[in-house]
Amino acid sequence: MQTSQEHDYPAHWEADVVLRDGGTARIRPITTEDADRLVSFYEQVSDESKYYRFFAPYPRLSAKDVHRFTHHDYVDRVGLAVTVGGEFIATVRYDRINAQGRPASAPADEAEVAFLVQDAHQGRGVASALLEHIAAVARERGIRRFAAEVLPANSKMIKVFRDAGYTQRRSFEDGSVHLTLDLEPTEESVAVQRAREQRAEARSVQRLLAPGSIAVVGAGRLPGGVGRTALRNLLGAGFTGRVYAVNRAFPKGRSEIDGVSAVRSVGDIDEPVDLAIVAVPAERVPEAVTDCGEHGVQGLVVLSAGYAESGPAGRERQRELVRQARSYGMRIIGPNSFGIISTSDAVRLNASLAPESPAHGRIGLFTQSGAIGIALLSGLHRRGAGVSSFISSGNRADVSGNDFLQYWYEDADTDVVLMYLESIGNPRKFTRLARRTAAVKPVVVVKGARHSGSVPPGHAVPFTRIPDATVGALLRQAGVIRVDTVTELVDAGLMLAGQPLPRGPRVAILGNSESLGLLTYDACLTEGLRPLPPRDLTTAATPADFRAALAEALVDDACDAVVVTAIPWVGENGVTESGDGEVLATALRAASATAPAKPVAVVHVEMGALADALAAASSTAPPVGTGGPAPERKTTR
């Protein structure tokens, strides 16, 4: 016998999902208050889809139907709806049945399942997402199998069941296809769900990074301020799409600002808008989100502060922002974000507060902190490096590092992923995604906060506090390279973006400082490498000596990589040759060209000219004007 608790509204079944096209929707149980929504939804479904659902012409729902489809016990009869903007776009229900196909209660463990998706939303992966969720609900309620009757002409629904990955049986009976699905997860069904998740989340990020049109909401009437700065940076980078300045305070007669159309609301724009940069005070953001949502904007970059970072009131304001944006199917970068950048020639997007867009390169950069983002961009710029894309997630209320790992996993323009994380909200998922991404391209992480299981203020997801040592172990198991400082993050990124990977752990060490050589030897041992005895060229070594020694090490089959250590050397007259770094850089590059398949790292002390010369020759950017893959990795560091 079921208890009253089992019949309570199951709030834990509510979920926000990312669909195949990158949009979002909400899945929730249907309640008795949904009668009007159900009727409105059904009226928008085509006659063909209604026929596929009921196997007969069924132009409208009767009052009895509406009552039956909105009254559930959440045990033997369950209905879920997918909503966007508060309105239904799809429904699914199951009814527990016995061996004869009649209504039943537990311990019967089979249920009949049926779907209906609004025609305008078919092809977005709605039914597949619904099947995953209704199957999880059914397993929770002790149901082990689904039965479904589908007309042979309903190929889309048959494909949804066939592609789900569950063990299934099919038969043709009385003019319809009878399907039985065992709901026990299989290796294939889990793989299908993760593949759907990866495609959807990657697509949602791609829509943010490659918009065709942008509205800057809060572009000030006068120069200065966050909104006007964002507009200036967007235009300065040469964004290839259409740009609109939005401010409700614009005079009615004003139609232009900074050379772009000026309007008082997003709703006044006479074409679709893909992305909105929101730079208005926090108390005005809800109005801006409504304006964007009603116009069909796909995503938001919220630069506005005054959210979770400001205390309990801001934390609640942030939760409401996410609820509001998701109700319209929009994803959010931020709030309190520094912005996003894509250096692709097809987009040239600088939707950020960075005054200069970085050069085009092969590094994907994610940071939760705007200040750290500035430092990382500056560090890469000083070293002559470019990025493929940059994201400052701010308070990370919605889009997170996990979403970008999904995107970079298949992004052909990104060779290396760098991440500054103050927290890991979902360690299990992060580890899974990082392991998969790290198998195809290096992932380097610096962990900022010492409370590794904590989340940014107001980030409303379940989490577990994990010791820092445990996080380190998880990252190692995932194949992630963990570094301790932002400087090391830049160094590692440059090395990985510009160098081939070593074929093994054997490291040759050479240089003109015995002490640096020994320190390098010990560091290699600490990291589990197999260093060869350091070769001391003495302080009298010349660039020619370095070139000869490096060339010799590179052709040695006993080494897989080389570390060169360098300090200013003493010339014939006892003069310290600290300013001749360019000569040494030329010598090292010439030697490394003899064996381009082996990485060469250079460690130097008080030789700024050497660092500059190596950086100039080791840019991660592809050749100017090609827009193609990065050059073969032959450079030294």
Side-chain angles (χ1 to χ4, degrees):
M1 180 176 180
Q2 308 296 345
T3 66
S4 59
Q5 181 66 31
E6 290 176 313
H7 295 265
D8 289 344
Y9 178 80
H12 65 287
W13 292 351
E14 296 180 355
D16 293 308
V17 295
V18 182
L19 302 177
R20 183 177 297 151
D21 62 359
T24 64
R26 186 160 187 79
I27 295 179
R28 65 169 177 82
I30 297 174
T31 72
T32 57
E33 298 178 357
D34 286 324
D36 290 342
R37 293 186 184 89
L38 181 65
V39 171
S40 176
F41 158 71
Y42 195 77
E43 289 175 347
Q44 298 178 62
V45 175
S46 69
D47 291 340
E48 181 182 58
S49 293
K50 292 172 182 175
Y51 188 89
Y52 285 157
R53 168 66 176 84
F54 293 103
F55 292 18
Y58 216 87
R60 64 187 58 85
L61 296 175
S62 67
K64 183 177 180 181
D65 291 329
V66 173
H67 183 275
R68 180 163 61 97
F69 293 154
T70 56
H71 286 68
H72 307 97
D73 62 12
Y74 303 125
V75 178
D76 298 327
R77 291 181 296 109
V78 171
L80 301 180
V82 182
T83 67
V84 173
E87 299 302 317
F88 286 8
I89 66 167
T91 60
V92 65
R93 60 178 287 109
Y94 79 63
D95 293 270
R96 196 187 299 258
I97 57 176
N98 59 20
Q100 290 73 43
R102 298 179 180 276
S105 298
D109 61 359
E110 185 170 336
E112 187 175 44
V113 66
F115 296 78
L116 187 58
V117 180
Q118 199 177 101
D119 294 67
H121 294 276
Q122 292 179 10
R124 301 182 66 197
V126 175
S128 297
L130 265 181
L131 179 56
E132 291 177 17
H133 284 261
I134 195 71
V137 167
R139 288 193 295 269
E140 181 181 326
R141 295 311 196 203
I143 292 171
R144 297 290 174 260
R145 290 181 304 282
F146 272 163
E149 299 289 337
V150 185
L151 288 175
N154 193 359
S155 57
K156 291 181 181 178
M157 199 66 242
I158 292 175
K159 187 175 188 302
V160 168
F161 286 117
R162 184 184 68 235
D163 293 347
Y166 295 112
T167 302
Q168 56 184 273
R169 295 175 293 281
R170 297 174 59 184
S171 61
F172 187 77
E173 302 174 11
D174 299 326
S176 66
V177 178
H178 181 79
L179 295 164
T180 302
L181 275 72
D182 292 335
L183 300 183
E184 188 66 28
T186 65
E187 184 175 333
E188 183 180 357
S189 70
V190 171
V192 166
Q193 292 175 20
R194 290 179 175 176
R196 185 194 66 79
E197 171 192 73
Q198 190 276 325
R199 288 192 300 269
E201 293 178 356
R203 174 58 179 158
S204 73
V205 169
Q206 194 272 336
R207 295 204 312 179
L208 293 168
L209 288 173
S213 56
I214 297 177
V216 181
V217 182
R221 291 172 291 174
L222 300 174
V226 174
R228 194 65 175 270
T229 298
L231 177 62
R232 181 195 65 208
N233 296 345
L234 188 64
L235 298 175
F239 175 61
T240 59
R242 299 169 301 283
V243 181
Y244 300 89
V246 181
N247 193 325
R248 67 177 184 178
F250 285 154
K252 289 187 177 181
R254 185 161 193 175
S255 61
E256 180 269 336
I257 185 173
D258 287 350
V260 303
S261 297
V263 296
R264 301 182 70 187
S265 74
V266 175
D268 293 336
I269 300 172
D270 58 4
E271 67 170 346
V273 174
D274 298 325
L275 180 70
I277 304 172
V278 180
V280 299
E283 60 270 16
R284 287 178 46 202
V285 170
E287 175 189 345
V289 174
T290 297
D291 188 23
C292 292
E294 294 293 337
H295 194 66
V297 173
Q298 297 178 352
L300 306 173
V301 176
V302 181
L303 307 180
S304 311
Y307 286 89
E309 79 283 356
S310 63
R315 188 175 298 115
E316 182 53 40
R317 188 181 297 121
Q318 182 168 303
R319 293 192 182 105
E320 182 55 36
L321 168 64
V322 175
R323 285 193 291 266
Q324 184 186 12
R326 286 178 175 172
S327 73
Y328 288 107
M330 296 185 291
R331 300 217 69 182
I332 303 172
I333 299 284
N336 196 28
S337 169
F338 188 71
I340 60 176
I341 295 172
S342 171
T343 62
S344 166
D345 284 339
V347 184
R348 295 199 296 272
L349 173 69
N350 181 6
S352 79
L353 299 179
E356 296 292 336
S357 188
H360 178 48
R362 313 289 298 177
I363 295 174
L365 180 58
F366 176 91
T367 174
Q368 292 173 256
S369 163
I372 297 299
I374 296 171
L376 287 168
L377 288 174
S378 298
L380 290 169
H381 176 72
R382 286 194 303 271
R383 305 282 291 277
V387 301
S388 59
S389 48
F390 162 80
I391 303 89
S392 163
S393 67
N395 291 3
R396 202 190 64 177
D398 177 24
V399 176
S400 70
N402 286 346
D403 295 287
F404 280 90
L405 280 173
Q406 299 276 40
Y407 171 73
W408 282 320
Y409 169 72
E410 60 181 16
D411 179 34
D413 291 332
T414 301
D415 290 337
V416 179
V417 173
L418 305 184
M419 308 185 79
Y420 173 84
L421 302 177
E422 294 174 348
S423 58
I424 301 176
N426 187 338
R428 179 175 295 179
K429 182 175 181 179
F430 174 82
T431 303
R432 171 169 60 85
L433 299 184
R435 178 183 296 111
R436 185 186 59 183
T437 304
V440 296
K441 58 190 67 173
V443 177
V444 189
V445 171
V446 60
K447 185 70 173 52
R450 305 313 294 173
H451 300 290
S452 304
S454 64
V455 296
H459 186 56
V461 297
F463 69 94
T464 304
R465 296 188 181 277
I466 326 173
D468 189 71
T470 303
V471 170
L474 289 174
L475 295 179
R476 284 193 299 274
Q477 291 173 8
V480 170
I481 301 169
R482 184 178 183 181
V483 296
D484 294 325
T485 68
V486 169
T487 300
E488 290 179 1
L489 186 66
V490 172
D491 288 342
L494 290 172
M495 170 73 77
L496 293 165
Q499 296 272 9
L501 296 177
R503 296 177 180 175
R506 301 167 301 177
V507 180
I509 303 166
L510 62 92
N512 62 348
S513 168
E514 183 180 13
S515 298
L516 279 182
L518 292 174
L519 288 173
T520 304
Y521 182 88
D522 290 341
C524 289
L525 290 175
T526 300
E527 295 300 325
L529 299 174
R530 289 165 51 191
L532 304 177
R535 179 176 177 182
D536 182 18
L537 304 179
T538 77
T539 56
T542 66
D545 295 327
F546 273 91
R547 175 176 177 171
L550 177 56
E552 183 179 337
L554 287 171
V555 298
D556 185 356
D557 292 335
C559 96
D560 303 303
V562 182
V563 177
V564 176
T565 63
I567 61 173
W569 59 90
V570 179
E572 294 180 0
N573 300 319
V575 179
T576 300
E577 303 286 352
S578 59
D580 206 11
E582 292 187 11
V583 177
L584 179 57
T586 300
L588 295 176
R589 290 198 304 271
S592 66
T594 64
K598 290 184 181 180
V600 178
V602 179
V603 181
H604 58 86
V605 175
E606 296 297 330
M607 296 190 70
L610 172 62
D612 293 340
L614 290 175
S618 306
S619 171
T620 64
V624 176
T626 67
E632 187 177 0
R633 299 176 180 180
K634 300 179 181 179
T635 55
T636 59
R637 295 284 181 220

